[in-house]
Amino acid sequence: MSERVKNQLDVFTGNSNPGLAREVAEHLGVKLGEAEVGRFPDGEVMVEIRENVRGGDCFVIQSICTPPNENLMELLLISDALRRASAGRITAVIPYFGYSRQDRKVAPRVPISAKVVADLITTAGVDRVLTVDLHAGQIQGFFNIPVDNLYAMPVLINYLRKRVDGARVSVVSPDAGGVERARAFARRLNANLAIIDKRRQRASQVAEMQLVGEVRDSIALLVDDMIDTAGTITEAAKVVANAGATEVIACATHPILSDPACERLNKSHITEIITTNSIPLRAKTVAELTKIKVLSVGSLLAEAVKRIHNEESVSSLFQ
């Protein structure tokens, strides 16, 4: 890598999460790169990089959140524009990796969409991917370039320790797939671990839930990587409340919150939803959902960006 690459760090962003991008840039002590990301009259995405990036170490911050196709196309075209402008290295910083739930064939004749997205990102010229709490860790293997999967857990744990200080806590995984995540939270909070056995009739519709573990006379902390329509987590909250939990708190990294999530959460047994700004909350969500606490992953991403730029270890952030 040339000396100029090491000394020139550029941060660009699309329209999906500009607030988080500005925060990362501020932590790094740099200005956001000058780029115009807009639309042609027919709706096609238009990108123009308005500064010299030749030989630069460029980081593109873009969540693949609602609307996912628009935001993905912005990421691809920004990356292609930087590659054609002779950027030294391009790192896609994707706080929320959309399409990550489609990581395997669950029925005949369906795509593995997460793999398709990985191929698109690589083909666009991205040299490295930095993301937060992938829905499935094996998605890292869909890429033929380095992928750093950060964990928002340190940010969430710092808040939770103060929130539940001195209380008895039971960390609950809403499904079997999240047990490893829930176990990590329980270990750091010195809490009990419980699991909800969930069986679905079809996607987004839960048929039956059974609690495995003890939550009576304790704060039940429901831990997941994302909340979409909130069907699973609100039903899980009902199960643990009926099992004798004194309070139910939900904790998830990615607040997708598709309709009717806000209505379900407001009517649920959950007293607080703790999440991050990996996905920006819509104004309607902020107005409707008053019991949500949003923590920032800006400093975490900035530290990871700085370490990648300086060729330092990223994994040591979590040791």
Side-chain angles (χ1 to χ4, degrees):
M1 189 181 297
S2 68
E3 285 299 315
R4 189 176 180 197
V5 172
K6 292 181 180 178
N7 294 331
Q8 179 182 326
L9 190 157
D10 299 303
V11 177
F12 294 89
T13 186
N15 294 314
S16 73
N17 205 338
L20 178 57
R22 282 192 293 269
E23 184 181 345
V24 171
E26 287 174 6
H27 279 290
L28 293 169
V30 300
K31 292 183 179 180
L32 273 180
E34 294 183 20
E36 181 181 354
V37 182
R39 299 292 183 272
F40 287 107
D42 65 351
E44 291 180 3
V45 175
M46 181 271 293
V47 170
E48 182 181 356
I49 307 299
R50 293 183 168 176
E51 64 178 77
N52 179 22
V53 295
R54 187 177 295 274
D57 195 6
C58 298
F59 294 82
V60 184
I61 301 175
Q62 180 85 333
S63 289
I64 307 176
C65 55
T66 305
N69 300 333
E70 295 273 317
N71 291 324
L72 174 59
M73 186 57 70
E74 287 185 3
L75 172 62
L76 298 175
L77 295 185
I78 294 170
S79 301
D80 184 73
L82 291 171
R83 178 174 63 89
R84 294 177 187 277
S86 301
R89 179 173 63 180
I90 303 167
T91 301
V93 182
I94 310 174
Y96 169 66
F97 191 91
Y99 288 95
S100 61
R101 286 172 285 181
Q102 300 181 53
D103 63 319
R104 63 194 184 280
K105 288 191 68 172
V106 295
R109 297 173 296 281
V110 298
I112 303 179
S113 304
K115 169 60 175 169
V116 175
V117 172
D119 289 342
L120 287 170
I121 290 170
T122 305
T123 302
V126 171
D127 300 295
R128 190 181 196 99
V129 170
L130 176 65
T131 188
V132 181
D133 280 341
L134 273 174
H135 183 67
Q138 63 265 24
I139 292 174
Q140 296 173 82
F142 292 175
F143 290 87
N144 292 322
I145 57 176
V147 178
D148 293 301
N149 182 27
L150 303 182
Y151 302 101
M153 184 168 56
V155 176
L156 299 168
I157 288 290
N158 286 340
Y159 176 81
L160 285 167
R161 284 196 176 119
K162 299 172 185 176
R163 174 68 172 78
V164 301
D165 185 35
R168 186 182 177 203
V169 179
S170 294
V171 177
V172 183
S173 174
D175 54 43
V179 172
E180 185 177 350
R181 181 185 304 107
R183 185 180 293 116
F185 272 80
R187 184 169 60 250
R188 285 162 176 77
L189 292 171
N190 194 26
N192 297 325
L193 176 65
I195 304 164
I196 290 182
D197 179 29
K198 177 182 67 176
R199 299 177 188 180
R200 291 182 183 270
Q201 287 182 331
R202 60 181 64 90
S204 302
Q205 183 176 342
V206 179
E208 181 183 357
M209 283 186 163
Q210 291 184 339
L211 179 67
V212 180
E214 183 60 53
V215 298
R216 184 171 299 279
D217 300 325
S218 65
I219 296 175
L221 178 62
L222 292 166
V223 176
D224 212 343
D225 64 322
M226 63 180 70
I227 300 177
D228 190 357
T229 58
T232 294
I233 207 154
T234 52
E235 287 298 315
K238 184 188 300 183
V239 171
V240 296
N242 291 339
T246 57
E247 184 183 7
V248 184
I249 300 173
C251 184
T253 303
H254 307 300
I256 303 173
L257 301 178
S258 306
D259 289 336
C262 292
E263 180 183 353
R264 286 174 171 172
L265 290 166
N266 282 331
K267 293 179 179 178
S268 73
H269 293 82
I270 297 170
T271 58
E272 185 175 15
I273 303 109
I274 303 164
T275 186
T276 78
N277 59 347
S278 66
I279 298 174
L281 295 183
R282 288 163 287 180
K284 179 183 175 183
T285 302
V286 174
E288 292 182 0
L289 193 57
T290 57
K291 51 186 177 182
I292 190 166
K293 174 69 175 179
V294 180
L295 307 176
S296 177
V297 291
S299 59
L300 176 68
L301 286 171
E303 180 62 27
V305 166
K306 184 173 71 173
R307 291 184 180 213
I308 291 171
H309 178 64
N310 294 329
E311 305 293 351
E312 297 172 352
S313 170
V314 174
S315 61
S316 60
L317 273 171
F318 308 100
Q319 293 175 355

